[in-house]
RNA sequence: GGGCGGUUAGCUCAGAUGGUUAGAGCGCUGCGUUGACAUCGCAGAGGUCACUGGUUCGAAUCCAGUAUCGCCCACCA
C-alpha cells in the first residue's frame, strides 16, 4: 500500500520485523546440496563475555555483504557463527567480579569458579546474538558454536593427541613469559613491549684471586634490573673483546651474596653495549637463559611467581621485586659496588590482558613445536608458509602475505599451557607410576601400570589453540561429516590484521595439519581467501579502548541511523586493510541516502497507481525514449561493474558505485525527466522506473539489507505475473548484466543533454532569473539535434525554460540573449536585458578555459610518439575531444564578436 | 635494526589491472518549499594528488630516493 509509506524512512519500524521474516523463512540456514556451489565463511568468534564493538560491526557488514551476494547468486551460503570462551579475558572478568565481593578464585575453588563463569556465558551469549541480529547478520544461528562445546572439546583433544603422537607437542622446561597478576604463562604474542624510562646501573664485581682472596681488580657490569643479580651465576664477555680477554676463565665475587661466578666468553655479548660485560641470570632473562644453557650455568630463581623475592634472595626475601631493586641499589652504593647510574630507555614486556609487567621465568610448560618436521621436509610453519607462497590461500590485500611470511620465517615454539581454570583442560593424565597418559577420552586407568589413580593436568590450553581449529572443527571434524565434505575448505575468512598471527596463522598451521588427509585434492587449507580489514579508530585517530572511554557501541549507532546506514557507512568509508576513523558525518550521509531511496520508491509507487508494470523488453529497445535507453544502459553497466568489484573484494567501491548511480543518474536526472511524461499519463516510465529501482534494490541488498527488503515487499504486488509466490529479496537472483542494453552512443547523447541542461541552469543562476520565470531558449546543434529534440519537453520541465530546437541552417536570434556553448551545441537564453560588458567578461572567461583545453588536446595529438604508441581507442577519444574543443572555441569567439 | 602503511579540496576519505578537464560526503558561497524526499533541490567556489628524480607517448597510479606521521616485528643487558 503506497499510501502507507511515510515520508521519512524509519528503520526501527522495519528492521526487527524484516529480520524475523528472514529467520522464519529459514533463509540463513544452509545445507549441503551437491547441485549447488558451496560458499562458507566462519565468523571470528567474539569473546563471549564481551560486547560487540565497531570492529565487529565492520566485520558483520563485510561478511554479511559477501554472504548475501553469494546467496543471491545461487550458492549454498553458510555463515557459521560462534563465540569464544576467551580464557584469560573471561577469567579476568569473573575474577574482578569476585574481587568486588572480596573473594579470589582460590577462595571459591575451581568448581564453583567454573560454575559462575558458565552463568556469565549463558547471559552474554544471548546478548551477542541480539547484537548480530540488530546489524542484520544473516548467519546460520542453528549452527552456532561455542568454543567449549563438547564437539569442540573432542576436536581440541584429538588435535592435541595427534600432535603429541607426532612429536609436535611436548612438555619442557623453558624460559617463558609469566604474568604475575594473571598467574599464568603467556605466549610471545601475548606480551606487548612498551618503552619505559629506567636506569642503567653499573655494578662492580670484584675479581677473585686464586686462594679466594679478592684482588683489587674488578669487572663492571651494566643492568637495568639489579634485583636479578641475586640469581647471577656467571658474567659473560665477548670472546674477542681485548679488554677482557685475559679475564676469561677467572672468577668474580657476586656482591652482597658473595657467590663466586665464572667469567665466560659468549658471542652473543655486544662489546659496544654498556661495559661489554654481561651479568648472567639464567633464571630471569631469556638471553641469559640461553647463555646459561650453552655454558651449563645454574639457574637460580630469586623472583617468585607472585613477583616477590624468593628464598634465594638472601636479605631481600619477601620484598616485592621493585622494593628489592631499591634496597639492593642502596646496599650496593653503601658497600661501594655501585659505580654509576645512567638514565636509560628500554622496552619492558607487559601482559596484553592486564597490562602488568611480565617476568621471564624458567618454567615447565606444554609447547607446540612449530618447526618440528612431522613429515620429511614439512613442519607446521613451513606448510603454512608454502600455502601462502603458492597462492593456494589468497591474501587480500596482497601486501599482508609478506607480513605473514616474515613472521613465519622466524617463528618460535608456541607455549600453549595456561595456569588458568577457564578453558580446555589439557588432556594429559599423570599416574603415580610417573608415566602420563595422553588421550581424547578421560582414561579409566594408567595406560602403563593400570592404576586408576590418575590426576589430570591442571592447566588449560591457550584459547587460540581451540579457535585455530574453527574452520574444520565447526564443520564436524574429527568426524567425516557431510558439512565438512561440502563446505570445507571454507571460501572466505575475514579478520582485523591485528590478529593475523594469533588466529590466521594458527588456523592455517593446524588446519593443514588436521586436514592433511585431504592434501592430494588440495582440500586441506582452512579457507581459500583471507581478507584483512583495518581497525576503526575514534575521530582523533586514537585506538578505541575501554580505558580511554572512546569506545562506540555499534548498536547505538545502528539504532540512531539505522543498521543499513551503519553498514553502508562502514563499508564505503574505507578500503580493505586500511584503518578508518569513526566518522559520524558518514552515518548521517548514509542515513540520508536510505531516506532518499525510500522516497524515490514512494514516488514510483505513487505513480504506479493500480496498474501493473512489466519489465522493459530488449526487442522494443528502439521504441524507448532516449532517457529510458540511457538509464537501462547505465544500469547494465553498473550491474557488470558491481559484480566484478565484488568478485575482487572491492566492496567499498561497489557500494559507492551503486550510490552514485542511484543519486546522480537515476534520481537527479532520469526520475526528474520522467515527471513530465508521467503528467501526460505516459506509463512507460513507470515500467522502467520500477524495473531500475528493483534491480538497484537487489544490487544494494548486500549492503543495506533491511530497507531494500522492505521496499521490495512494496514493489512486488504491482509487478505483473507475480500472482504466484512473492519471493523475498534475500533470495532473489543477484542482477547479472544484460549487456545488450549497453548503448554507448545513447550514453554520450544523454551526457550531452545533461550538459546542455546544466549550462542553461548555470546561466539562469548567474543572471539571477527567479524560479518562476520560464525564459525562451534557442538551441542549435549538429551532432545531437535528434536527442535534444527528443528530450525537449523534459528539458523544459527540469530546467524551467521554453525551448526551441533550431535547424542547423537557422541562425540563433540576436538581441537580449545570454549565450553558451556545450561542445558543438549553441545555447541562447532570452533575458529581459543584457549587460553587454558582463556578458563579454563571462564569455571571455569561458573562452580562456576552452582555449587552454584545446591547446592541451592539440599538443597531445601533434605528438607523433603518442600517435604511434597509444592505443587506438585512446587516440580516437582524444580526437573527438579535440574537435569538440575546436567547435567550442570557435563558437565562443563568434559570440564575442557579435557582442556590440 | 628490519618490514608495512598514510601523506589527494577547509575536514573525513575514495580513486582494483597507468589514458575523460582528479572524485564523494560534510563544511563553505548564492538561490530555492514546482505535491517523492529540506534526512531535499539547483548553481558555484575550493586540489601544482607531501617532495625530488626516473620509466613511459602519457604517472595521483609504476620505480628509486627524501621528508613527515603511524603501525608491526626483533633477545642489545
Amino acid at each position: 500500500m503506497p499510501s502507507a509509506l511515510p515520508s521519512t524512512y524509519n528503520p526501527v519500524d522495519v528492521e526487527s520485523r524484516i529480520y524475523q521474516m528472514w529467520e522464519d523463512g529459514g533463509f540463513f540456514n544452509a545445507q549441503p546440496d551437491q547441485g549447488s556451489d558451496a560458499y562458507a565463511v566462519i565468523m571470528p568468534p567474539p569473546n563471549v563475555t564481551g560486547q560487540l564493538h565497531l570492529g565487529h560491526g565492520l566485520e558483520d557488514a563485510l561478511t554479511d555483504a559477501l554472504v548475501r551476494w553469494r546467496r543471491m547468486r545461487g550458492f549454498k551460503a553458510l555463515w557459521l557463527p560462534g563465540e569464544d570462551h576467551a580464557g584469560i579475558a573471561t577469567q579476568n572478568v569473573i575474577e574482578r567480579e569476585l574481587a568486588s565481593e572480596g573473594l579470589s578464585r582460590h577462595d571459591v575453588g575451581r568448581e564453583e569458579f567454573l560454575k559462575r563463569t558458565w552463568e556469565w556465558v549463558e547471559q552474554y551469549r544471548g546478548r551477542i546474538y541480539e547484537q548480530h541480529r540488530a546489524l542484520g547478520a544473516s548467519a546460520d544461528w542453528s549452527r552456532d558454536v561455542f568454543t567449549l562445546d563438547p564437539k569442540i572439546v573432542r576436536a581440541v583433544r584429538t588435535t592435541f593427541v595427534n600432535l603429541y603422537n607426532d612429536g609436535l607437542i611436548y612438555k619442557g622446561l623453558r624460559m617463558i613469559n609469566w604474568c604475575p597478576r594473571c598467574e599464568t604463562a603467556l605466549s610471545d604474542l601475548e606480551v606487548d613491549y612498551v618503552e619505559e624510562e629506567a636506569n642503567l646501573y653499573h655494578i662492580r664485581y670484584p675479581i677473585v684471586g686464586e686462594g679466594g682472596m679478592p684482588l683489587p681488580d674488578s669487572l663492571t657490569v651494566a643492568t637495568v634490573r639489579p634485583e636479578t643479580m641475586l640469581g647471577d651465576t656467571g658474567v659473560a664477555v665477548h670472546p674477542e673483546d681485548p679488554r677482557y680477554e685475559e679475564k676469561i676463565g677467572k672468577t668474580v665475587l657476586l656482591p652482597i651474596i658473595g657467590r663466586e661466578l665464572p667469567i665466560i666468553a659468549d658471542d652473543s655479548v655486544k662489546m659496544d653495549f654498556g661495559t661489554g660485560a654481561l651479568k648472567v641470570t639464567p633464571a630471569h632473562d631469556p638471553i641469559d637463559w640461553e647463555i646459561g644453557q650453552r655454558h651449563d650455568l645454574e639457574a637460580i630463581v630469586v623472583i617468585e611467581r607472585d613477583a616477590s623475592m624468593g628464598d634465594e634472595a638472601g636479605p631481600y626475601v619477601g620484598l616485592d621485586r621493585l622494593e628489592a631493586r631499591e634496597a639492593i641499589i642502596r646496599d650496593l652504593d653503601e658497600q661501594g659496588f655501585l659505580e654509576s647510574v645512567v638514565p636509560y630507555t628500554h622496552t619492558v614486556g607487559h601482559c596484553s590482558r592486564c597490562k602488568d609487567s611480565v617476568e621471564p621465568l624458567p618454567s615447565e610448560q606444554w609447547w607446540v613445536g612449530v618447526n618440528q618436521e612431522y613429515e620429511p621436509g614439512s613442519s607446521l610453519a613451513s606448510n603454512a608458509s608454502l600455502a601462502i607462497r603458492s597462492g593456494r590461500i589468497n591474501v587480500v590485500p596482497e601486501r599482508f602475505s609478506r607480513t605473514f611470511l616474515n613472521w613465519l620465517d622466524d617463528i618460535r615454539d608456541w607455549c600453549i599451557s595456561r595456569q588458568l581454570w577457564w578453558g580446555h583442560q589439557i588432556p594429559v593424565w599423570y599416574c603415580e607410576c610417573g608415566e602420563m597418559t595422553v588421550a581424547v577420552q578421560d582414561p579409566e586407568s594408567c595406560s602403563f601400570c593400570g592404576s586408576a589413580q590418575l590426576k589430570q593436568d591442571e592447566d588449560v590450553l591457550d584459547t587460540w589453540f581451540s579457535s585455530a581449529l574453527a574452520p574444520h572443527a565447526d564443520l564436524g571434524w574429527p568426524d567425516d561429516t557431510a558439512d565438512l565434505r561440502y563446505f570445507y575448505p571454507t571460501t572466505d575468512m575475514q579478520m582485523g590484521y591485528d590478529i593475523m598471527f594469533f588466529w590466521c596463522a594458527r588456523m592455517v598451521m593446524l588446519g593443514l595439519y588436521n586436514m592433511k588427509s585431504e592434501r592430494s585434492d588440495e582440500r586441506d587449507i582452512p579457507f581459500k581467501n583471507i581478507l584483512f580489514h583495518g581497525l576503526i579508530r575514534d575521530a582523533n585517530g586514537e585506538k578505541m579502548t575501554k580505558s580511554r572511554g572512546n569506545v562506540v557501541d555499534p548498536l547505538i549507532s545502528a539504532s540512531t541511523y539505522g543498521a543499513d546506514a551503519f553498514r553502508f557507512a562502514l563499508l564505503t568509508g574505507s578500503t580493505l586493510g586500511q584503518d578508518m576513523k569513526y566518522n559520524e558525518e558518514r552515518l548521517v550521509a548514509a542515513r540520508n541516502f536510505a531516506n532518499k531511496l525510500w522516497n524515490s520508491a514512494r514516488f514510483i509507487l505513487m505513480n504506479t497507481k493500480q496498474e501493473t508494470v512489466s519489465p522493459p523488453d530488449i526487442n522494443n529497445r528502439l521504441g524507448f525514449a532516449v532517457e529510458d535507453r540511457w538509464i537501462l544502459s547505465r544500469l547494465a553497466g553498473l550491474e557488470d561493474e558491481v559484480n566484478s568489484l565484488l568478485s575482487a573484494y572491492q566492496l567499498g567501491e561497489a557500494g559507492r558505485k551503486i550510490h552514485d548511480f542511484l543519486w546522480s543518474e537515476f534520481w537527479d536526472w532520469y526520475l526528474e525527466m520522467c515527471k513530465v511524461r508521467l503528467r501526460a499519463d505516459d506509463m512507460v516510465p513507470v515500467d522502467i522506473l520500477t524495473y531500475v529501482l528493483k534491480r538497484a534494490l537487489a544490487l544494494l541488498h548486500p549492503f543495506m539489507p533491511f530497507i531494500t527488503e522492505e521496499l521490495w515487499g512494496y514493489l512486488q504486488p504491482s509487478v505483473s505475473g507475480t500472482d504466484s509466490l512473492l519471493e523475498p529479496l534475500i533470495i532473489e537472483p543477484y542482477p547479472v548484466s544484460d549487456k545488450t542494453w549497453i548503448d554507448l552512443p545513447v550514453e554520450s547523447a544523454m551526457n550531452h543533454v545533461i550538459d546542455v541542461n546544466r549550462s542553461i541552469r548555470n546561466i539562469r543562476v548567474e543572471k539571477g532569473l527567479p524560479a518562476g520565470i520560464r525564459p525562451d531558449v534557442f538551441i542549435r546543434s549538429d551532432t545531437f539535434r535528434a536527442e535534444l529534440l527528443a528530450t525537449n519537453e523534459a528539458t523544459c520541465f527540469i530546467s524551467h525554460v521554453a525551448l526551441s530546437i533550431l535547424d542547423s541552417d537557422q541562425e540563433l536570434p540576436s538581441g537580449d540573449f545570454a549565450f553558451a556553448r556545450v561542445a558543438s551545441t549553441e545555447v541562447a537564453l532570452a533575458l529581459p536585458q543584457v549587460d553587454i560588458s558582463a556578458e563579454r567578461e563571462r564569455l571571455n572567461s569561458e573562452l580562456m578555459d576552452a582555449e587552454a583545453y584545446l591547446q592541451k588536446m592539440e599538443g597531445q595529438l601533434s605528438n607523433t610518439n603518442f600517435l604511434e604508441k597509444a592505443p587506438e581507442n585512446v587516440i580516437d577519444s582524444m580526437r573527438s575531444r579535440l574537435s569538440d574543443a575546436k567547435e567550442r572555441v570557435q563558437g565562443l569567439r563568434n559570440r564575442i564578436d557579435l557582442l556590440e
Side-chain angles (χ1 to χ4, degrees):
Chain A
M1 296 291 263
S3 57
L5 287 183
S7 69
T8 302
Y9 171 59
N10 190 352
V12 292
D13 288 350
V14 316
E15 288 175 1
S16 54
R17 173 166 48 79
I18 292 284
Y19 197 89
Q20 192 65 47
M21 180 273 283
W22 289 328
E23 261 203 315
D24 292 347
F27 303 120
F28 302 163
N29 190 267
Q31 295 302 330
D33 169 6
Q34 297 310 325
S36 308
D37 288 328
Y39 174 82
V41 49
I42 304 286
M43 177 188 287
N47 287 2
V48 70
T49 58
Q51 40 184 323
L52 299 192
H53 52 67
L54 282 180
H56 296 112
L58 173 62
E59 300 199 335
D60 277 5
L62 200 63
T63 309
D64 199 44
L66 290 170
V67 171
R68 284 178 187 270
W69 176 55
R70 295 286 189 149
R71 186 184 292 121
M72 291 172 79
R73 296 203 55 172
F75 286 75
K76 290 295 166 202
L78 170 64
W79 184 7
L80 206 158
E83 299 76 39
D84 199 302
H85 68 280
I88 300 188
T90 303
Q91 177 150 334
N92 283 354
V93 167
I94 307 301
E95 283 183 341
R96 268 200 299 280
E97 195 202 36
L98 284 172
S100 70
E101 301 166 26
L103 297 170
S104 78
R105 66 175 158 127
H106 302 288
D107 294 330
V108 298
R110 188 165 190 154
E111 198 176 326
E112 172 62 19
F113 183 85
L114 292 179
K115 189 167 152 268
R116 287 183 77 134
T117 310
W118 274 108
E119 282 164 13
W120 267 74
V121 166
E122 292 315 320
Q123 183 184 341
Y124 282 88
R125 224 177 145 181
R127 186 173 72 178
I128 287 174
Y129 294 151
E130 289 318 308
Q131 291 181 304
H132 285 302
R133 280 163 212 252
L135 294 174
S138 61
D140 188 347
W141 298 109
S142 70
R143 295 168 181 264
D144 189 63
V145 175
F146 183 51
T147 54
L148 287 178
D149 283 349
K151 70 171 194 173
I152 304 298
V153 170
R154 192 158 68 92
V156 164
R157 287 184 170 196
T158 304
T159 305
F160 188 98
V161 170
N162 290 346
L163 286 167
Y164 179 81
N165 290 337
D166 275 343
L168 298 185
I169 279 187
Y170 63 92
K171 191 176 193 180
L173 178 69
R174 303 266 296 270
M175 194 51 119
I176 54 134
N177 307 293
W178 179 263
C179 175
R181 222 278 333 145
C182 300
E183 300 179 300
T184 181
L186 303 171
S187 71
D188 295 340
L189 285 178
E190 289 163 299
V191 179
D192 297 333
Y193 289 90
V194 182
E195 225 171 55
E196 285 181 5
E197 301 290 328
N199 290 315
L200 192 58
Y201 300 95
H202 291 245
I203 304 167
R204 188 180 304 121
Y205 285 12
I207 292 181
V208 178
E210 295 253 312
M213 293 294 292
L215 294 177
D217 201 5
S218 71
L219 198 148
T220 301
V221 299
T223 181
V224 288
R225 300 195 59 197
E227 69 276 15
T228 64
M229 70 180 282
L230 307 174
D232 282 4
T233 51
V235 172
V237 297
H238 194 277
E240 281 150 31
D241 192 330
R243 293 170 294 182
Y244 302 119
E245 247 169 340
E246 292 179 3
K247 297 183 172 133
I248 295 167
K250 293 188 176 172
T251 305
V252 295
L253 193 65
L254 182 62
I256 299 176
I257 299 292
R259 183 162 56 238
E260 291 190 5
L261 315 175
I263 299 174
I264 56 169
D266 195 282
D267 287 341
S268 68
V269 178
K270 308 270 187 300
M271 286 189 273
D272 56 359
F273 186 89
T275 61
L278 171 68
K279 63 188 259 325
V280 183
T281 320
H284 296 290
D285 185 280
I287 308 165
D288 295 11
W289 171 261
E290 283 172 25
I291 295 175
Q293 297 277 299
R294 284 195 287 271
H295 298 272
D296 205 20
L297 301 177
E298 192 186 352
I300 299 176
V301 174
V302 293
I303 301 172
E304 296 298 317
R305 291 186 164 196
D306 61 358
S308 73
M309 304 307 290
D311 294 343
E312 298 283 349
Y316 309 101
V317 176
L319 290 182
D320 172 80
R321 56 189 158 173
L322 294 180
E323 295 168 358
R325 178 179 303 176
E326 285 175 31
I328 288 169
I329 289 305
R330 200 172 50 237
D331 293 346
L332 287 172
D333 197 18
E334 278 171 12
Q335 296 172 31
F337 293 114
L338 185 63
E339 200 171 85
S340 64
V341 181
V342 286
Y344 180 67
T345 307
H346 70 145
T347 55
V348 178
H350 291 261
C351 171
S352 61
R353 272 297 150 196
C354 76
K355 308 304 171 198
D356 207 6
S357 61
V358 300
E359 282 294 329
L361 290 175
S363 173
E364 187 157 67
Q365 300 285 345
W366 286 96
W367 303 82
V368 174
V370 289
N371 295 309
Q372 177 72 39
E373 290 189 3
Y374 61 92
E375 281 167 6
S378 63
S379 64
L380 292 173
S382 71
N383 274 358
S385 176
L386 190 60
I388 300 291
R389 272 185 284 126
S390 66
R392 290 179 58 216
I393 294 177
N394 175 40
V395 179
V396 184
E398 196 278 331
R399 67 183 143 86
F400 284 113
S401 65
R402 197 157 156 186
T403 314
F404 188 99
L405 291 171
N406 287 346
W407 183 74
L408 280 175
D409 276 348
D410 42 32
I411 183 178
R412 296 187 299 168
D413 285 359
W414 173 18
C415 177
I416 50 168
S417 44
R418 297 288 179 276
Q419 289 63 53
L420 304 171
W421 287 348
W422 179 241
H424 290 271
Q425 200 169 343
I426 291 177
V428 172
W429 286 262
Y430 302 98
C431 176
E432 307 161 308
C433 75
E435 296 291 346
M436 59 189 183
T437 302
V438 180
V440 174
Q441 298 293 336
D442 291 17
E444 300 280 325
S445 58
C446 175
S447 47
F448 294 87
C449 72
S451 160
Q453 297 299 310
L454 294 176
K455 193 166 181 298
Q456 188 173 3
D457 194 305
E458 297 212 339
D459 291 351
V460 300
L461 290 165
D462 182 359
T463 300
W464 296 103
F465 189 90
S466 54
S467 355
L469 313 182
H472 55 286
D474 288 6
L475 289 169
W477 187 91
D479 293 331
D480 181 20
T481 63
D483 278 351
L484 192 62
R485 279 199 299 272
Y486 185 72
F487 288 116
Y488 195 92
T490 63
T491 320
D492 295 334
M493 171 56 70
Q494 155 280 132
M495 70 188 72
Y497 62 75
D498 56 330
I499 56 170
M500 178 191 300
F501 307 141
F502 282 107
W503 198 38
C504 177
R506 276 120 179 215
M507 269 193 289
V508 176
M509 290 193 286
L510 294 187
L512 291 171
Y513 174 78
N514 278 345
M515 297 298 289
K516 58 182 183 279
S517 61
E518 304 291 329
R519 184 169 316 147
S520 51
D521 298 329
E522 304 226 318
R523 295 188 67 254
D524 52 341
I525 51 173
F527 33 76
K528 295 170 187 161
N529 303 288
I530 168 73
L531 320 181
F532 291 110
H533 67 255
L535 276 24
I536 305 182
R537 301 171 179 283
D538 74 3
N540 301 317
E542 302 272 352
K543 198 171 172 183
M544 289 190 180
T545 59
K546 282 191 202 112
S547 55
R548 283 200 183 91
N550 58 355
V551 175
V552 173
D553 183 343
L555 289 199
I556 294 186
S557 307
S559 62
T560 309
Y561 301 101
D564 291 325
F566 175 78
R567 295 166 53 129
F568 194 78
L570 289 189
L571 281 183
T572 59
S574 175
T575 312
L576 210 56
Q578 215 63 55
D579 289 357
M580 69 185 293
K581 290 180 196 165
Y582 179 75
N583 185 215
E584 197 108 359
E585 286 166 358
R586 257 182 199 291
L587 290 175
V588 174
R591 189 267 320 258
N592 295 351
F593 175 53
N595 191 244
K596 180 95 177 166
L597 176 64
W598 181 260
N599 276 291
S600 72
R602 208 163 70 103
F603 171 80
I604 293 168
L605 288 165
M606 279 169 58
N607 282 284
T608 309
K609 298 171 187 153
Q610 301 305 318
E611 324 258 346
T612 58
V613 296
S614 23
D617 179 357
I618 187 73
N619 297 314
N620 295 338
R621 190 210 331 243
L622 295 180
F624 289 114
V626 170
E627 62 267 37
D628 296 340
R629 287 159 59 193
W630 169 70
I631 201 70
L632 291 167
S633 173
R634 298 295 299 158
L635 174 68
L638 175 73
E639 290 166 344
D640 192 39
E641 197 164 16
V642 166
N643 277 301
S644 101
L645 285 166
L646 289 177
S647 303
Y649 299 101
Q650 303 269 339
L651 306 224
E653 194 62 9
R656 287 186 289 268
K657 285 277 192 281
I658 301 168
H659 171 276
D660 293 349
F661 166 81
L662 279 171
W663 209 311
S664 50
E665 300 189 290
F666 188 52
W667 297 332
D668 283 354
W669 293 99
Y670 184 71
L671 191 147
E672 291 302 320
M673 290 175 84
C674 284
K675 284 180 178 173
V676 69
R677 286 203 277 163
L678 292 169
R679 287 189 180 184
D681 286 327
D682 177 357
M683 292 312 287
V684 172
V686 174
D687 285 348
I688 298 178
L689 284 164
T690 307
Y691 172 75
V692 175
L693 177 64
K694 285 188 65 187
R695 300 282 285 208
L697 288 177
L699 286 173
L700 196 54
H701 184 258
F703 300 86
M704 305 182 99
F706 291 112
I707 187 174
T708 52
E709 183 74 81
E710 175 74 353
L711 290 174
W712 184 260
Y714 282 112
L715 285 164
Q716 279 297 65
S718 61
V719 177
S720 63
T722 53
D723 38 34
S724 51
L725 275 178
L726 303 184
E727 293 284 23
L729 182 54
I730 188 173
I731 51 165
E732 172 75 9
Y734 202 71
V736 172
S737 175
D738 177 356
K739 293 196 185 121
T740 49
W741 281 109
I742 290 181
D743 184 341
L744 296 179
V746 100
E747 287 195 18
S748 58
M750 257 306 289
N751 283 339
H752 189 75
V753 170
I754 287 171
D755 285 343
V756 167
N757 274 279
R758 286 217 171 97
S759 164
I760 291 170
R761 293 165 173 183
N762 179 294
I763 299 174
R764 289 189 65 105
V765 169
E766 266 191 29
K767 300 301 177 188
L769 292 186
I773 302 278
R774 295 174 66 86
D776 284 324
V777 170
F778 297 89
I779 283 178
R780 192 176 66 185
S781 175
D782 297 332
T783 29
F784 294 115
R785 186 168 185 284
E787 290 86 353
L788 284 162
L789 212 48
T791 53
N792 183 336
E793 285 185 46
T795 299
C796 289
F797 181 78
I798 63 179
S799 295
H800 304 147
V801 291
L803 191 62
S804 306
I805 315 285
L806 303 176
D807 286 328
S808 48
D809 55 0
Q810 286 178 287
E811 283 295 316
L812 282 184
S814 55
D816 285 326
F817 285 88
F819 293 94
R821 261 245 167 207
V822 182
S824 62
T825 297
E826 293 177 284
V827 177
L829 186 144
L831 291 172
Q833 67 179 80
V834 168
D835 175 342
I836 303 267
S837 71
E839 186 65 4
R840 175 174 288 122
E841 200 177 318
R842 192 174 67 86
L843 290 174
N844 266 324
S845 111
E846 229 182 286
L847 177 63
M848 273 167 62
D849 185 53
E851 279 174 336
Y853 184 59
L854 175 63
Q855 229 168 33
K856 194 174 158 183
M857 289 301 108
E858 278 174 340
Q860 184 76 278
L861 282 162
S862 62
N863 183 338
T864 50
N865 275 328
F866 172 71
L867 295 173
E868 278 167 27
K869 295 180 182 172
E872 202 66 29
N873 62 327
V874 173
I875 295 173
D876 283 351
S877 87
M878 215 65 92
R879 283 205 173 108
S880 98
R881 274 180 259 162
L882 174 70
S883 81
D884 284 356
K886 270 184 183 160
E887 288 201 61
R888 178 152 177 254
V889 165
Q890 194 52 52
L892 286 165
R893 282 193 185 133
N894 291 346
R895 228 58 252 183
I896 291 166
D897 290 346
L898 286 172
L899 286 176
E900 294 310 309

